[in-house]
Amino acid sequence: MTGFRNDRAAAEFAALRALSARVGADPLLVQAAGGNTSLKDDGVLWIKASGTWLMHAGRDDIFVPVKMPPLLQAVADLDPAAEKAEAFVVADLNPLGLRPSIETTVHALMPQRVVVHVHCVETISLAVRSDAETVVGERLRGLDWVFVPYCRPGLPLARAIAERRGRETNVLVLGNHGLVVAADTVAETEDLLARVCDLLARTPRPAPQADTDALLRLAAGSNYRLPASPEAHAAASDPASCQIAAGGTLYPDHVIFLGEGSVVAAPGETAQAVVHRLAAEGRDAPMSILFPGKGVLMRNDANAGAEALARCLADVTARIDEHASLHYLGAADAHQLLNWDAEKYRQELTRRMEAARQ
């Protein structure tokens, strides 16, 4: 990769790619095409491309160079062009024609040279609580951090961050969304990420083993199958997790890859019966179905992104106190996400990646 002013900057970029691959390979930090990382150098922001997977950073060119000064001016002017940031890409250094991450404005507004944004399940499980700012504050005491209530990812979130962060703020906890850490070197950023995740970590609630025999019987004659990840079953086999999931949508990527909320089967209902019930209500066949006390079934055409988010639901809900008051995303939030061009683009790239594998 060319375009860096010196060998030191190029070495930092290589370190960022290595960190991105490590982070992206950890399902407790990043799921599917979620999360993004960046490096600023000589007025250019190198940001993960929309729809690409961080875990592939070591083998693929997944970063896009974006000119910082005009992008920041567009944010200040509330220019809609800042939302996609495509107008600010350094075309000569983007031979693949990649599109900047939907979070490009967030990275640009952080003054630190290196920024890492993850959908850490430890963070999300606290950030969905109604008292998130208080409980997180107890764990991150002594750090320069801020809590940002849920906003649609992209420019609205960037504006909310700009209003709340201080000059030295290097940790952002995003309501119903995830975690951002920033520092001036890749090594410092990785150390900060590890420290914050350790401070927010809790032991997940143990879940009963999935009843796969029962699930296969419930899937008979339907367009459903067992999930790729056995860990996904815990969202349904554990009663507390299932009840939490049934309450609604907890974070944006759930909407994007699994649909709004979680579909829970009634006692005795088969997968086919669930589909018929929803069809009578004018609803599509769900990407996943939770069978309380048994486990989860996935639609046959569920892609890698949906599979990753099915496991994420289990990982997040297992860490939520069953007695906590939670803030779920509303129908308007889901509608915003599902009809947002940036997310449609990200989903299309996921479909293309699946097709290429077959």
Side-chain angles (χ1 to χ4, degrees):
M1 177 67 69
T2 60
F4 292 95
R5 57 181 169 171
N6 55 43
D7 291 344
R8 182 176 179 184
E12 270 292 273
F13 183 67
L16 179 71
R17 291 184 62 175
L19 171 60
S20 300
R22 289 194 296 274
V23 167
D26 186 345
L28 300 184
L29 291 177
V30 168
Q31 307 79 36
N36 31 76
T37 59
S38 71
L39 171 71
K40 301 177 182 75
D41 178 64
D42 198 24
V44 174
L45 172 72
W46 292 83
I47 178 86
K48 192 204 83 162
S50 179
T52 60
W53 291 41
L54 281 174
M55 68 186 298
H56 298 155
R59 73 172 200 208
D60 299 336
D61 287 335
I62 67 167
F63 288 89
V64 183
V66 178
K67 290 175 279 190
M68 287 269 294
L71 173 61
L72 291 173
Q73 187 60 54
V75 174
D77 294 342
L78 304 182
D79 184 342
E83 180 83 321
K84 294 181 183 179
E86 289 178 278
F88 312 105
V89 170
V90 183
D92 292 346
L93 299 178
N94 185 30
L96 299 178
L98 299 173
R99 183 166 162 175
S101 166
I102 58 178
E103 306 287 13
T104 297
T105 49
V106 171
H107 288 248
L109 284 170
M110 296 296 286
Q112 294 87 354
R113 192 160 176 249
V114 180
V115 179
V116 171
H117 166 48
V118 292
H119 296 164
C120 164
V121 301
E122 304 287 1
T123 305
I124 294 173
S125 64
L126 291 173
V128 299
R129 291 177 56 136
S130 301
D131 59 352
E133 189 165 9
T134 299
V135 296
V136 171
E138 293 170 353
R139 291 171 172 270
L140 300 187
R141 190 177 292 114
L143 295 182
D144 195 336
W145 76 284
V146 295
F147 177 78
V148 183
Y150 178 78
C151 296
R152 176 175 68 72
L155 195 52
L157 176 58
R159 290 171 184 162
I161 290 171
E163 291 171 359
R164 285 181 166 254
R165 69 169 178 81
R167 290 176 59 87
E168 303 300 323
T169 300
N170 59 1
V171 177
L172 308 174
V173 174
L174 311 179
N176 293 85
H177 188 157
L179 173 68
V180 177
V181 298
D184 287 326
T185 68
V186 172
E188 290 170 337
T189 308
E190 183 170 18
D191 287 346
L192 182 59
L193 176 64
R195 180 182 178 191
V196 172
C197 290
D198 184 59
L199 290 170
L200 297 180
R202 275 134 314 118
T203 302
R205 188 171 46 252
Q209 182 116 7
D211 188 342
T212 54
D213 289 339
L215 288 169
L216 290 171
R217 289 194 296 271
L218 292 166
S222 75
N223 192 30
Y224 288 82
R225 55 169 173 76
L226 296 175
S229 173
E231 290 87 351
H233 289 300
S237 65
D238 173 52
S241 293
C242 193
Q243 184 174 2
I244 291 167
T249 304
L250 290 167
Y251 39 87
D253 271 3
H254 183 100
V255 176
I256 301 306
F257 290 99
L258 295 177
E260 184 177 358
S262 295
V263 172
V264 180
E269 242 186 346
T270 64
Q272 195 72 338
V274 171
V275 172
H276 289 158
R277 168 167 60 85
L278 295 181
E281 300 171 3
R283 299 166 62 188
D284 295 333
M287 192 59 68
S288 66
I289 305 173
L290 276 59
F291 292 86
K294 296 181 176 64
V296 174
L297 289 177
M298 301 294 294
R299 211 167 69 193
N300 283 343
D301 63 347
N303 60 30
E307 294 284 3
L309 268 296
R311 173 179 173 172
C312 180
L313 180 64
D315 288 331
V316 169
T317 53
R319 289 164 169 79
I320 297 176
D321 185 335
E322 58 188 299
H323 303 297
S325 173
L326 304 181
H327 174 263
Y328 290 94
L329 302 186
D333 297 315
H335 183 269
Q336 257 191 342
L337 290 163
L338 292 171
N339 290 279
W340 185 25
D341 174 70
E343 284 296 4
K344 290 179 180 179
Y345 173 82
R346 194 158 68 116
Q347 291 179 72
E348 177 59 27
L349 285 187
T350 297
R351 284 191 287 270
R352 289 181 200 170
M353 183 179 71
E354 287 293 302
R357 287 181 174 178
Q358 296 172 357

